[in-house]
């Protein structure tokens, strides 16, 4: 039994590793819990010499939770825990479980407005070619673990936030203006 990141229960049956990642079904929000990775022992991904996640600490993604993600098209993708985790996160994207194939990594990210993500959470924006990738989310240090949400978006996917009609990451008056401007047309049909 694979312990699902958002599932309940203990860590007795926890089997998530880079070689046995959770397969995700595309874009969306994926809840994770890295406390079982901490309890299960070394589940870290060592980026030393391959990718520098940031200026502070070592280059290890500690207590990582691993996902297998299929990029369905060439283009720009985003992987983020920005403002959506209860601990200091790190992220990486790699084409395999070999750290030398790491494409991107991040420790402390920024949001669309350039502001620091709260709680030292992370964000990667990267151009990928169609194919399969390993995405890992973990902590800044060996004691960092907890709950959070990984959001994945890409070139042929929906806006990452429901109601965010202009794609700026915020639901606000600008989105309402778009909705009202399209009122009475198929473009204003948000619920299908």
């Amino acid at each position: 039994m694979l312990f699902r990141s958002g599932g309940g229960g203990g860590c007795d049956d926890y089997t998530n590793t880079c070689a046995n990642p959770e397969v995700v079904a595309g874009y969306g929000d994926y809840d994770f819990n890295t406390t079982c990775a901490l309890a299960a022992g070394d589940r870290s991904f060592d980026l030393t010499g391959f990718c520098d996640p940031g200026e502070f600490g070592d280059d290890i993604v500690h207590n990582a939770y691993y996902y297998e993600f299929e990029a369905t098209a060439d283009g720009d993708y985003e992987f983020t825990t920005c403002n959506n985790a209860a601990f200091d996160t790190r992220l990486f994207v790699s084409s395999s479980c070999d750290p030398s194939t790491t494409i991107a990594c991040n420790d402390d990210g920024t949001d669309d407005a350039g502001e620091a993500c709260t709680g030292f959470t992370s964000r990667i924006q990267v151009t990928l070619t169609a194919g399969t990738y390993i995405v890992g989310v973990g902590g800044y240090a060996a004691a960092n673990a907890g709950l959070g949400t990984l959001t994945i978006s890409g070139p042929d996917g929906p806006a990452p936030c429901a109601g965010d009609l202009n794609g700026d990451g915020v639901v606000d008056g600008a989105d309402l203006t778009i909705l009202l401007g399209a009122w009475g047309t198929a473009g204003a049909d948000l619920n299908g």
Side-chain angles (χ1 to χ4, degrees), residues 83-186:
N83 306 327
N84 281 314
F87 65 102
D88 187 348
T89 63
R90 282 186 170 172
L91 289 173
F92 74 87
V93 177
S94 183
S95 59
S96 76
C97 290
D98 180 347
S100 70
T101 65
T102 300
I103 299 162
C105 60
N106 180 259
D107 182 11
D108 301 332
T110 58
D111 62 20
D112 285 334
E115 300 294 323
C117 296
T118 58
F120 305 106
T121 49
S122 312
R123 180 180 183 198
I124 293 175
Q125 293 176 301
V126 62
T127 301
L128 300 175
T129 57
T132 302
Y133 296 89
I134 297 293
V135 179
V137 57
Y140 164 79
N144 290 130
L147 302 171
T149 302
L150 173 68
T151 300
I152 302 173
S153 57
D156 57 351
C161 179
D164 180 19
L165 302 180
N166 65 359
D168 67 354
V170 179
V171 177
D172 58 13
D175 301 299
L176 180 58
T177 300
I178 293 169
L179 176 65
L180 292 175
W183 196 261
T185 70

Side-chain angles (χ1 to χ4, degrees), residues 17-28:
T17 63
C18 191
N20 187 34
E22 179 178 345
V23 177
V24 294
Y27 306 138

Side-chain angles (χ1 to χ4, degrees), residues 2-136:
L2 175 66
F3 173 83
R4 290 290 174 193
S5 54
C11 299
D12 294 342
D13 295 325
Y14 184 81
T15 59
N16 181 273
T17 63
C18 191
N20 187 34
E22 179 178 345
V23 177
V24 294
Y27 306 138
D29 295 331
Y30 297 95
D31 294 333
F32 61 84
N33 181 348
T34 64
T35 56
C36 284
L38 175 62
D42 188 10
R43 295 284 203 259
S44 299
F45 199 78
D46 191 348
L47 301 170
T48 305
F50 304 112
C51 192
D52 183 1
E55 62 183 292
F56 301 106
D58 57 29
D59 294 341
I60 299 172
V61 178
H62 296 275
N63 309 311
Y65 191 89
Y66 299 92
Y67 294 95
E68 179 180 295
F69 171 72
E70 180 77 25
T72 57
D74 296 355
D76 296 330
Y77 289 81
E78 180 175 87
F79 304 89
T80 182
T81 61
C82 191
N83 306 327
N84 281 314
F87 65 102
D88 187 348
T89 63
R90 282 186 170 172
L91 289 173
F92 74 87
V93 177
S94 183
S95 59
S96 76
C97 290
D98 180 347
S100 70
T101 65
T102 300
I103 299 162
C105 60
N106 180 259
D107 182 11
D108 301 332
T110 58
D111 62 20
D112 285 334
E115 300 294 323
C117 296
T118 58
F120 305 106
T121 49
S122 312
R123 180 180 183 198
I124 293 175
Q125 293 176 301
V126 62
T127 301
L128 300 175
T129 57
T132 302
Y133 296 89
I134 297 293
V135 179

